[in-house]
Amino acid sequence: MQFAEVYLPTLKSVTATKTYTYSVPSELNDTMKLGQLIEVPFGKKTLPALIKALTNTKPDFATKDVSHIIIDIPLINTKIANTIDKIADYYLSTPHRVSSLFLPKQLLGKTWEPKLNKKTGKIQTSSFIRKLEKVELPPNLTPTNEQAEIIAAITPEIQKKIASSHLILGPTGSGKTEIYLQLIKKLKPGQQALLLVPEISLTPQLAQYFYNHFGTEVCVWHSELNATEKKNAWWSVKNNETRVVIGSRSSLFFAFNDLGLIIIDEEQASAFKQDQNPRYHSRDVAKQFSKEYNCPLVLGTATPSLETYQQTLDQSITLHTLTKRIFDTKPPSIQIVDMKDEFKKGNYSIFSDDLLEAIQTTVASQKQVLLFLNRRGFSSSIQCFECGHIEECQNCDISLTLHNTPNKKFLQCHLCGQFEHIPTKCSKCYSRKIKNIGIGTQQVEKTLQTLIPGVRTLRADKDTTTAKHSFQEIYTSFKNHEADILIGTQMISKGLHLPKVDLVGVILADIGLHVPDFRAGERSFQLLKQVCGRAGRLQDQGQVIIQTLSPTHPVLLSLQDDNLFEFYTKELLLRRQHNFPPTNRITKFTYVHANRDTCLKTARQAEQNLRSMQIKFLGAPALIFRQYNNYHYNILAFTDQPQTIVNKLAMDPGWRIDRDPLDTV
Ligand SMILES: [Zn+2]
Ligand SMILES: [Zn+2]
Ligand SMILES: [Zn+2]
């Protein structure tokens, strides 16, 4: 008698950490294979199940019979099954929830089969590309010496199928994309490559670049694909008709046959971590695949994560450095302006005299300006000058942001999205002396239009890019010089090729610098470094002006010195002193409850237990204690074995467990 050990991809429970076993009826004995999708009884229902393994050993408990086979083509292989178990274990999730990542829900419907092209008999793939706009590409160049050396170093590992890890560290415009392309070209026929990017919609040029070289063998996986397109994409990878997959983190979970190379561009990006159970990091899943498929993993960035940087020091990741920009452009000159000095001069404007003058000069000489402020809206809050009260969201403990555009004026909570009317008096003391405080991108745009009459501006933030394609439209319009100035949040920091941008202005660098999180410095450095990299991309040297209230902050000084290694060395030392990653591993346990007292009581009880287990931890209410009407309490446990905590505490489902969290507040 045969038994099938299965995953139940639709089982949402966060505590079902074991697989299930069913007996195989004799009539199915010869047809059952690992990876098939079958139907099994579960309680009073039936559920779809993925076969993880088949065995002849009778388990020591009673088993029910498999109902029938739904899809007889194996959907996953042993390598994927191993990876499912590893992810579930490491991230304290369940194998069932993890297995669902590998199974697009379109496959669970009646029409799971791919749509074939009538002429070629192949899977219909043309639609993956049609939504890409034609963009002008940088000229094809022969690789520089630096590029050629890196390609030569990694190529043998691709050919010999070695599970090695590499970091390509190079500034914006140093030609990492060309290296990715050349490495993918080294794959043998039948081998597949995966290129992960943080957000495909922000990198239209990259997708186009690969499409130009690989044509329909490229699958660009993005959120705008419809259900049929997603299903076809999945099958075209499974059937080896797609050789190169470019996509966001979910494209890790295609059923690759023979993965020969994995590349993660902008490896430090927070988009690579999933914020729901299973809270995996793409880099770690990719590393696991690299071991399973015996293929190199290549990380690329101008500003690595501290974790990756530490591993280059340990030499578990090989470091390759690109020092030159392709066109031999000099790095931009960086000027730091102390806004306190401006106040002393009596200048209370958003713009320092230097930045305003530089903007005017640049615009007058037919060049373009990029202005960065990582806060959308018009003003970050409304405060009463009589009693000090700040208007807050009724569901969350944060201030409401004022939105003020020609079309609409309203208050909004940037956490839960709640809208409110703009008050005329303080909701606490009814005084009429209420004022907007804190600047957002809308205010920057409006102020510019007043200061420089006739200036053409564009704004890119979450409020202007809600419609499909919108970021790309703004970007294309700016690139065609239909505007002089682009104002934006962090979305303008991504890989834009904008040759006419001569000046980058950072309106207020302090946002993000003082967040009480151990990664605040690292994040700010990475973000500001990327933003600075947008200045002067062709032959000219660019100019960057950073406005701040903390001109001697180490992050800003390292940026100005253009000294990446100095910053990383200091930052590593700080982390070591405080036992934070990458020196130690931490797991964040967050207790969430609608009742404030229950939340605090449960969390404090857990802290008591951790003390008795002699596990080092930090516990505190979340920076925003109440979010969406639920109270949040964080406990950061400094341990390599968070599983022992889960076992011992018999934690209720109100706990969210995040191993290697990206933020701790
Ligand atoms: Zn908003
Ligand atoms: Zn008041
Ligand atoms: Zn809210």
Side-chain angles (χ1 to χ4, degrees), residues 384 386-389 426 428-431:
C384 170
E386 202 83 52
C387 75
H389 176 71
C426 171
K428 199 173 163 201
C429 75
Y430 307 110
S431 158

Side-chain angles (χ1 to χ4, degrees), residues 394-583:
Q394 44 180 291
N395 310 318
C396 316
D397 290 339
I398 60 167
S399 64
L400 292 162
T401 299
L402 172 69
H403 284 247
N404 185 356
T405 62
N407 313 326
K408 278 185 231 148
K409 291 181 174 51
F410 55 87
L411 294 180
Q412 193 192 13
C413 170
H414 277 187
L415 191 62
C416 74
Q418 174 87 18
F419 290 101
E420 297 286 348
H421 291 293
I422 298 174
T424 50
K425 49 195 173 198
C426 171
S427 62
K428 199 173 163 201
C429 75
Y430 307 110
S431 158
R432 290 189 179 272
K433 287 187 190 157
I434 54 173
K435 271 192 169 168
N436 313 334
I437 53 171
I439 47 171
T441 45
Q442 290 170 5
Q443 196 173 149
V444 175
E445 187 173 33
K446 197 168 176 194
T447 310
L448 269 177
Q449 286 163 350
T450 321
L451 290 174
I452 312 175
V455 75
R456 299 170 306 162
T457 58
L458 279 169
R459 181 162 56 85
D461 56 32
K462 215 167 149 190
D463 299 311
T464 61
T465 57
T466 41
K468 283 186 177 184
H469 300 300
S470 204
F471 176 77
Q472 201 168 320
E473 277 159 22
I474 293 170
Y475 158 74
T476 307
S477 163
F478 187 62
K479 184 157 182 189
N480 294 339
H481 212 152
E482 289 158 22
D484 307 302
I485 304 176
L486 174 64
I487 303 142
T489 55
Q490 59 180 326
M491 65 175 68
I492 64 166
S493 69
K494 296 288 184 290
L496 302 170
H497 178 69
L498 297 166
K500 282 187 187 148
V501 170
D502 236 22
L503 171 68
V504 168
V506 176
I507 301 296
L508 188 61
D510 305 60
I511 298 173
L513 274 183
H514 307 294
V515 177
D517 184 280
F518 74 92
R519 276 186 226 272
E522 176 187 353
R523 283 244 181 81
S524 296
F525 181 82
Q526 290 163 342
L527 186 55
L528 291 172
K529 181 94 186 159
Q530 285 183 333
V531 172
C532 294
R534 305 292 148 226
R537 293 214 45 170
L538 283 175
Q539 281 76 1
D540 307 317
Q541 185 187 21
Q543 183 188 8
V544 176
I545 297 179
I546 300 177
Q547 302 188 148
T548 178
L549 296 166
S550 334
T552 56
H553 196 288
V555 164
L556 300 183
L557 294 181
S558 296
L559 273 175
Q560 192 173 31
D561 295 350
D562 195 24
N563 197 336
L564 187 116
F565 292 105
E566 176 196 67
F567 175 77
Y568 279 82
T569 308
K570 280 188 191 161
E571 188 68 20
L572 270 183
L573 199 66
L574 271 176
R575 301 283 180 89
R576 204 167 297 143
Q577 281 165 356
H578 296 93
N579 291 311
F580 275 118
T583 310

Side-chain angles (χ1 to χ4, degrees), residues 44 119 150 219 267 427 454 488 574 585 589 613 651:
K44 285 176 183 162
K119 276 187 201 150
I150 297 175
C219 165
E267 63 90 25
S427 62
L574 271 176
R585 292 200 175 248
F589 294 86
M613 291 169 76
M651 300 177 116

